[in-house]
Amino acid sequence: MTTLPAASPEALALSQALCGRIGQAIADAGGWIPFSDYMELALYAPGMGYYAAGSSKLGAEGDFITAPELTPLFGQSLARQVAELLPQTAGAIYEFGAGTGKLAIDLLAELEALGCLPQKYVILDLSPDLMERQRENIGAALPHLAGRVEWASRLPDAIDGIVIGNELLDAMPCEMVFRDENRQLRQRGVTIRDGAFAYEDRDFADAALAELAAQLVPDIPRYETEISLANRGFIATLAGALRRGAILMIDYGHAASEYYLPERGMGTLMGHYRHHTVQDPFYLPGLMDLTCHVDFSAVAQSGIDAGLDLIGYTSQAQFLVNCGLAERLQRLDPNDVRTYLPVAKAAQRLLSPQEMGETFKAMAFGKDISIDWLGFARGDRCYTL
C-alpha cells in the first residue's frame, strides 16, 4: 500500500469519520455486519460514502475511467440503438448513475443529429455532488438541450421509455460467501479486530442466500466469492416500474458458468483508488471505490421472472460493432494523425478482448417493444446464460 498516492488531510479526515460511522454500525449490530452492509456504508453513507461525498471519481484526477469518458464513440454508437427504440415508447430516456454526465451529452448530441431527440432525459443518481457536476457539464456542452434533462433520486412509479445503466450493477453492494478448508459454506462479514476492520465468517442468517450459495459455489476448500442480491432486486424493481420500453445494462461480468469457476476462488471484489487496483476492501473507506463483477445469469433470470423479454446478451465489443462503431471510425482520415490516433486508441480500449471489449457485456430487456435490436444482430450469447 505504500506505493499508492497519498490522500490529503481533508480526505483522510473524511475517511476516518466514515470509519467511525461503520464501527458504530458494527457495534450496534452486536459486533458483526454482513459484507453488503459494510459496502453500502463505504459507498453510500450520506455525506461520507464514496459516491455520496465530494471527491473526484472519474477521469485522470479520479479513480477510474468509464467508457463514455474515453471517447464519444461509445455514446454515439449507443445512440443508434436508442434511436431505433425510442419511437416505440413515450420518448423518455432514464440513465442511472450518470457519472459526470458525459454519456448523456454524447447521447443527446448524436440523437439530435439523428433527428430523434427524447422528450425528456431523466438522470437518476444518489450523489448530490455528481448531480451538480452533471448539471454544469450538460449546461456547458448542450445549453440548447439542457431543458430536456431532469434529475431524480428515486425510481419513478411508472416508466415508458429507455433505461440505461453503464457500470451501474457492479457498484451495488454484494454479499460475500466463503467455503472453508473443511468445505463448510458460510457468510463473510465484517467485524473489528485489534482496532481495524476484518473479515469474520458466520453461519447464514438468510435462508435464501444460503440456498443460492449452495447452488453456485463450487464444492472445493477455501473458495471465496460474491452473490449480489442487490442486482437481482434492482432488476425486479425496475421491471415492476417498466410499463413499456427497454432496459440496457452494460457492465463487467460473466455468465454464472464462468463466474463460479473453480479457478475463481479469490472472487472478483476489487477496489479502485487513483487508477490503482486495491485488493484490501478496508483501505481508506469512502475514498476508494468498491466493485464486484456482475453475474449476468442472475440478472437475466431476475428480469425473466419479473415478466420481461430477454432481448440479448453479448460482449461490449460485439454490441458496439453492431451499432456502427467501426464504420464511424473508418470515416476518419488515418493520415490526420493528430485527430485519428487518440480516437483509434480509445476505440481499441473499448473493443479489444484484452481491454474492455470482452470483460464488459451488454444485456437488454424489453416490454411491449420489438425484440429485434441492432446491438444484438450478430454475436448474441443468451445461450450461454
Side-chain angles (χ1 to χ4, degrees):
M1 293 301 178
T2 56
T3 62
L4 294 175
S8 69
E10 295 80 9
L12 285 174
L14 186 69
S15 179
Q16 289 165 2
L18 179 57
C19 286
R21 171 70 180 84
I22 297 171
Q24 187 60 54
I26 292 172
D28 292 345
W32 182 93
I33 58 174
F35 183 80
S36 58
D37 287 5
Y38 168 83
M39 187 170 173
E40 182 165 2
L41 287 167
L43 296 180
Y44 300 109
M48 294 182 285
Y50 180 77
Y51 285 107
S55 62
S56 178
K57 301 162 182 64
L58 303 166
E61 299 303 316
D63 302 303
F64 54 90
I65 295 179
T66 63
E69 303 291 328
L70 278 175
T71 171
L73 286 173
F74 183 82
Q76 290 164 354
S77 301
L78 189 57
R80 289 193 61 197
Q81 178 65 86
V82 173
E84 179 183 82
L85 301 171
L86 202 58
Q88 302 178 47
T89 73
I93 297 174
Y94 299 83
E95 184 187 355
F96 282 81
T100 64
K102 186 65 168 61
L103 179 56
I105 291 167
D106 293 338
L107 271 174
L108 285 167
E110 186 67 13
L111 288 171
E112 182 179 35
L114 294 170
C116 191
L117 278 170
Q119 295 298 314
K120 62 179 180 178
Y121 194 110
V122 183
I123 292 177
L124 297 104
D125 213 308
L126 297 176
S127 169
D129 171 67
L130 284 176
M131 291 167 76
E132 184 56 36
R133 294 187 199 184
Q134 292 153 13
R135 287 189 182 93
E136 293 175 359
N137 292 340
I138 293 170
L142 300 172
H144 63 297
L145 298 179
R148 293 178 186 257
V149 185
E150 304 174 5
W151 279 264
S153 57
R154 60 178 296 274
L155 184 70
D157 293 331
I159 293 175
D160 189 336
I162 313 301
V163 177
I164 299 170
N166 181 60
E167 293 199 48
L168 171 71
L169 298 175
D170 67 83
M172 293 185 179
C174 61
E175 306 294 342
M176 292 189 68
V177 298
F178 183 70
R179 196 183 288 279
D180 64 21
E181 58 274 8
N182 299 314
R183 299 191 178 186
Q184 182 180 4
L185 195 54
R186 308 185 83 193
Q187 182 172 3
R188 176 152 284 187
V190 181
T191 189
I192 297 177
R193 190 177 301 125
D194 299 326
F197 298 131
Y199 284 137
E200 182 174 292
D201 302 332
R202 293 193 176 185
D203 293 338
F204 289 95
D206 183 340
L209 179 59
E211 183 178 352
L212 276 174
Q215 293 170 0
L216 296 171
V217 179
D219 188 12
I220 56 177
R222 303 202 61 78
Y223 191 98
E224 174 186 303
T225 193
E226 312 87 23
I227 296 174
S228 180
L229 301 181
N231 282 180
R232 290 167 166 84
F234 174 74
I235 294 298
T237 301
L238 201 53
L242 188 67
R243 299 294 178 262
R244 178 180 59 173
I247 299 169
L248 175 62
M249 295 286 147
I250 301 177
D251 222 315
Y252 44 89
H254 315 280
S257 59
E258 298 175 73
Y259 198 114
Y260 300 104
L261 286 170
E263 53 264 39
R264 292 192 192 277
M266 297 300 293
T268 71
L269 182 76
M270 68 181 78
H272 300 282
Y273 176 73
R274 305 284 292 276
H275 298 280
H276 291 72
T277 298
V278 181
Q279 300 300 325
D280 179 8
F282 307 128
Y283 180 74
L284 294 181
L287 304 185
M288 180 179 71
D289 188 23
L290 284 173
T291 74
C292 71
H293 282 45
V294 177
D295 173 0
F296 279 104
S297 295
V299 172
Q301 192 61 56
S302 297
I304 292 169
D305 289 346
L308 298 177
D309 296 322
L310 177 62
I311 302 296
Y313 169 67
T314 193
S315 68
Q316 173 179 284
Q318 185 66 66
F319 183 84
L320 294 176
V321 167
N322 287 346
C323 290
L325 186 147
E327 287 90 335
R328 183 174 287 273
L329 187 61
Q330 288 169 1
R331 296 177 199 164
L332 301 178
D333 180 5
N335 296 314
D336 182 1
V337 176
R338 181 172 296 180
T339 301
Y340 182 79
L341 280 183
V343 178
K345 183 178 179 181
Q348 173 75 6
R349 288 192 64 181
L350 292 181
L351 301 179
S352 170
Q354 287 73 39
E355 300 268 358
M356 302 172 72
E358 181 59 35
T359 303
F360 280 71
K361 309 295 194 308
M363 175 170 279
F365 301 95
K367 187 171 185 179
D368 294 335
I369 63 165
S370 169
I371 62 172
D372 296 318
W373 287 31
L374 176 67
F376 302 101
R378 294 180 299 278
D380 183 39
R381 300 185 188 178
C382 282
Y383 66 92
T384 67
L385 296 168

